[in-house]
Amino acid sequence: MKLNDVVSYDIIIIGAGASGVSASVYVKRAGKKVAIMERMAVGGQLNFVGKIANYAGFVETDGFSLSQNLQNQLKQNEIEVIYDEVIDLKLDGEKKEIICKKNNYTSTAVILALGSNPKELEINGEKEFKGRGVSYCVQCDGNFFRGKTTAVVGSSEAAINGAIYLSAICEKVYLIAQFNIDNLPLEQLKKLENVEILRNAKPLEIKGEEVVKSILIEQENEKKEISVDGIFVVAGNKPSTAMLKGKIELTEEGYIICNEDMMTSEEGVYACGDVRKSRLKQISTAVGDGAIAGVMATTFVSSK
């Protein structure tokens, strides 16, 4: 790559979801040269989210509308968006290098807002009814099924907590656990009269018309169809950090480890949003992460 093909910035933000956009606004308002890099569309996974009713300032909105607001905010603040795919990162030098398919870039600081993707069941009907009864976030969408019948599909403590959460607002909750959950804390769940645990139950297909109507499972070599209004897939998330292995500190699951300033193990490299190790992954926490990362990255650049 020729020298004049390399574009330099004070701060480059990788990922234009809620956390990345939040960070970019703080950086821009501080007067730094910033670009936000996105492989697909501003908003990221928000573009695939249905109704949102737990984000402060909005009685109710949806993921696509919120993504459009993020896009408008970038335009209003004249923040450059680079639509390119990152194929490699060199983060250990004083100047960080971002190698992309179309061009190469350098910056003094990098903010990683790479996000994560929920693991899917990969069964028939799942993609078809995503946002129409199939959800991957109990806390986000649980209230839409108040007084109805729901199923949580998962074999983790998060799935158990999801079923407990739903039990307080739903008439009936099924916990569909394909794998062994006997080593997990089940005491509270077992006390709930409106929760039914289906053990060794393999999900086969999600059925419905305009919205979800049922889920087909296999249990003890017998197929059963369970009528439900909503299905929550709690199979974990997969952070988009494959290219970061060996470059910064990650958890075993691949989430980025950072301190309260959102600084990673590499000086000048920050992380925010769903890609970092955190207790809660919500739009509101992503925006807060982005604000901190933007301010601290700006402070770091100013110190240089």
Side-chain angles (χ1 to χ4, degrees):
M1 182 69 67
K2 296 178 181 178
L3 184 61
N4 58 10
D5 288 330
V6 178
V7 187
S8 296
Y9 296 86
D10 292 322
I11 299 171
I12 288 178
I13 300 164
I14 304 174
S19 64
V21 172
S22 175
S24 73
V25 171
Y26 279 85
V27 173
K28 180 71 174 184
R29 289 171 65 86
K32 301 302 181 186
K33 185 179 180 182
V34 59
I36 189 166
M37 198 168 284
E38 174 57 48
R39 181 171 61 92
M40 297 179 67
V42 171
Q45 289 296 315
L46 273 179
N47 288 286
F48 306 103
V49 174
K51 291 181 182 179
I52 298 169
N54 61 349
Y55 187 43
F58 292 84
V59 175
E60 186 175 288
T61 185
D62 59 83
F64 181 76
S65 298
L66 196 55
S67 295
Q68 291 299 301
N69 288 345
L70 295 176
Q71 176 79 65
N72 293 336
Q73 192 170 24
L74 291 172
K75 289 181 179 178
Q76 183 175 335
N77 285 277
E78 297 182 341
I79 296 169
E80 182 181 356
V81 181
I82 300 169
Y83 290 98
D84 205 345
E85 182 175 356
V86 179
I87 57 176
D88 196 13
L89 292 163
K90 296 181 180 179
L91 304 174
D92 56 350
E94 187 172 333
K95 279 291 184 181
K96 316 302 180 186
E97 297 180 48
I98 300 93
I99 297 93
C100 299
K101 282 189 174 181
K102 298 177 183 177
N103 211 340
N104 284 5
Y105 307 86
T106 65
S107 61
T108 304
V110 171
I111 299 175
L112 302 169
L114 298 164
S116 65
N117 298 312
K119 292 180 181 177
E120 298 182 350
L121 299 174
E122 299 182 354
I123 60 175
N124 289 337
E126 182 179 13
K127 292 185 183 298
E128 180 183 352
F129 292 105
K130 189 181 294 185
R132 295 191 291 131
V134 173
S135 171
Y136 299 86
C137 181
V138 173
Q139 289 82 3
C140 303
D141 299 331
N143 198 54
F144 297 121
F145 298 91
R146 183 175 291 274
K148 298 183 178 181
T149 299
T150 56
V152 176
V153 183
S155 305
S156 64
E157 189 169 347
I160 292 170
N161 291 336
I164 293 171
Y165 179 93
L166 291 171
S167 71
I169 55 178
C170 295
E171 182 179 355
K172 174 78 174 182
V173 180
Y174 293 96
L175 175 61
I176 300 174
Q178 181 176 356
F179 306 106
N180 181 38
I181 57 172
D182 290 334
N183 60 333
L184 299 176
L186 294 169
E187 294 79 10
Q188 185 179 352
L189 196 67
K190 289 178 179 179
K191 294 177 182 178
L192 301 172
E193 294 182 357
N194 64 335
V195 176
E196 183 176 343
I197 303 173
L198 301 175
R199 300 169 183 271
N200 303 313
K202 181 181 180 181
L204 299 177
E205 183 179 358
I206 295 170
K207 298 183 178 183
E209 295 172 4
E210 292 297 318
V211 295
V212 165
K213 295 293 183 183
S214 65
I215 181 169
L216 181 67
I217 66 169
E218 183 177 12
Q219 189 180 34
E220 297 178 354
N221 297 318
E222 181 184 347
K223 291 183 179 179
K224 301 177 183 179
E225 189 169 345
I226 303 168
S227 296
V228 293
D229 300 296
I231 297 170
F232 292 88
V233 179
V234 186
N237 290 286
K238 185 178 180 181
S240 306
T241 56
M243 72 178 73
L244 295 174
K245 290 181 179 178
K247 298 177 181 178
I248 59 174
E249 190 176 357
L250 305 173
T251 67
E252 289 184 8
E253 297 83 8
Y255 290 98
I256 298 172
I257 297 172
C258 52
N259 62 21
E260 61 182 8
D261 291 337
M262 303 298 149
M263 173 84 85
T264 71
S265 57
E266 190 65 52
E267 186 181 47
V269 180
Y270 300 79
C272 56
D274 288 359
V275 76
R276 81 175 188 92
K277 180 186 178 184
S278 60
R279 286 186 175 272
L280 186 64
K281 300 186 185 300
Q282 297 282 286
I283 301 168
S284 55
T285 56
V287 170
D289 282 0
I292 296 170
V295 170
M296 299 315 297
T298 297
T299 302
F300 173 79
V301 170
S302 297
S303 72
K304 296 295 181 181

